Amino acid sequence: MKTITTLFLSFVATASMMANISNSEKEALVKLYKATNGSQWTNKWDLKASETTWYGVKIQNNQVIGLNLSNNHLVGQLPAEIGNLVYLQQLNLFKNDISGLIPHTIGNLKQMKNLNLAFNKLSGKIPTSLGQATALISVEMFMNQLSGELPAELGNLKNLKTLSLFNNELTGNIPTTIYDMKSLKVLLLNSNKLTGRLGREVANMSSLENLSLFENNMDGQVPFDLEKLNNLKEMNISYNMFSGLVSKNLAKLDTLNMTMINEKGLAVNLPVVDKNSAYANED
């Protein structure tokens, strides 16, 4: 009986190792390997061996559902074929030397929940197609060279809880669609080149716990409506060009107590007043 059980388990293990993913998925993985100098990766793939043995590749039911190649010395650009990994739920390429544009085909990954492209050398705009990957829970692209405006299509990501885009070169206003993301808990847009006002609609982001707009070029009145965010625990909107009055509660909540850059380029603190005065001033 023990021999039969052993043979059965051996058969199951062998069958698992022989599992085949689709040709389009395998092609996508091989394209990624070659486009990012795979022969020089820290943990390389043996392209002649089964994909089940490839480092960082998670396969389930003959489908690639996870790809974790963080800190693995990927150098080069992401191929468009990465959009063929349509069953992917996690893509983690954190801390490599990937450059160039984020492929438009990223929007094909409609089952993806976690996307981490942070700490690379990616440039260009965030593709509007990312708004089609509606299963996303977390998007991390901080510490890159991304430019252009935040695409309004990000507002389609109704399940998103974390949007971390700090330390890039993003410009323009925060799209109003972002304020409608009621599931968002963490919004980190600091150290960019954002301009315009912080909309009073920010109060719609009822789940928000951490807001960072530090070190941008935003201006206008700090919306008193920020106090309506009952879950907000951390906030840093200092080192912008906001003006006007703020309440004591908001000043305390901000890490640097509302230190702004005035028209002369000097660091100043916004004047703190009571709630009613702040409301009157804002209106």
Side-chain angles (χ1 to χ4, degrees), residues 74-174:
L74 276 67
V75 181
Q77 300 187 14
L78 295 177
E81 287 82 1
I82 200 163
N84 293 340
L85 298 172
V86 292
Y87 304 106
L88 206 60
Q89 297 177 21
Q90 179 193 42
L91 176 58
N92 186 352
L93 302 178
F94 172 76
K95 202 174 184 182
N96 284 289
D97 288 303
I98 302 170
S99 57
L101 306 179
I102 299 171
H104 180 78
T105 53
I106 198 83
N108 295 347
L109 308 182
K110 293 180 171 55
Q111 295 189 32
M112 185 165 57
K113 297 179 180 179
N114 299 292
L115 173 63
N116 191 338
L117 302 177
F119 228 111
N120 280 284
K121 297 176 181 177
L122 293 165
S123 58
K125 296 181 178 181
I126 297 172
T128 58
S129 60
L130 187 61
Q132 299 171 16
T134 52
L136 277 166
I137 295 174
S138 174
V139 172
E140 297 178 277
M141 297 181 180
F142 57 87
M143 299 295 290
N144 277 290
Q145 299 163 19
L146 298 171
S147 58
E149 299 186 2
L150 287 168
E153 288 80 0
L154 291 178
N156 295 330
L157 305 179
K158 301 302 183 184
N159 297 308
L160 200 67
K161 295 183 179 180
T162 298
L163 180 59
S164 184
L165 302 173
F166 63 87
N167 278 91
N168 279 289
E169 299 175 14
L170 299 170
T171 57
N173 298 349
I174 296 176

Side-chain angles (χ1 to χ4, degrees), residues 199-203 222-229 250 279 282:
R200 296 179 66 171
E201 299 91 341
V202 69
V222 176
F224 190 68
D225 301 76
L226 280 168
E227 279 201 28
K228 298 176 183 178
L229 298 176
L250 288 180
Y279 263 132
E282 189 176 27

Side-chain angles (χ1 to χ4, degrees), residues 28-29 32-33 41 45 54-59 64-70 74 78 82 85 88-94 114 116:
L29 292 175
L32 175 65
Y33 187 79
W41 286 5
W45 292 345
W54 294 358
Y55 173 81
V57 178
K58 184 176 181 180
I59 298 174
V64 180
I65 64 168
L67 187 57
N68 186 349
L69 298 172
S70 62
L74 276 67
L78 295 177
I82 200 163
L85 298 172
L88 206 60
Q89 297 177 21
Q90 179 193 42
L91 176 58
N92 186 352
L93 302 178
F94 172 76
N114 299 292
N116 191 338

Side-chain angles (χ1 to χ4, degrees), residues 220-224 226-227 235 237 242-252 254 257-260 269-275 277-279 281-282:
Q221 171 76 41
V222 176
F224 190 68
L226 280 168
E227 279 201 28
M235 181 179 76
I237 64 174
F242 290 123
S243 58
L245 307 175
V246 294
S247 71
K248 185 181 297 184
N249 289 340
L250 288 180
K252 286 182 178 178
D254 186 83
N257 298 315
M258 297 289 180
T259 302
M260 300 298 160
N269 289 103
L270 294 184
V272 179
V273 295
D274 62 67
K275 279 187 180 183
S277 296
Y279 263 132
N281 182 270
E282 189 176 27

Side-chain angles (χ1 to χ4, degrees), residues 171-192:
T171 57
N173 298 349
I174 296 176
T176 55
T177 53
I178 298 291
Y179 300 133
D180 292 327
M181 301 175 75
K182 297 185 184 301
S183 64
L184 202 62
K185 293 185 177 183
V186 177
L187 179 59
L188 307 180
L189 300 176
N190 51 286
S191 302
N192 278 288

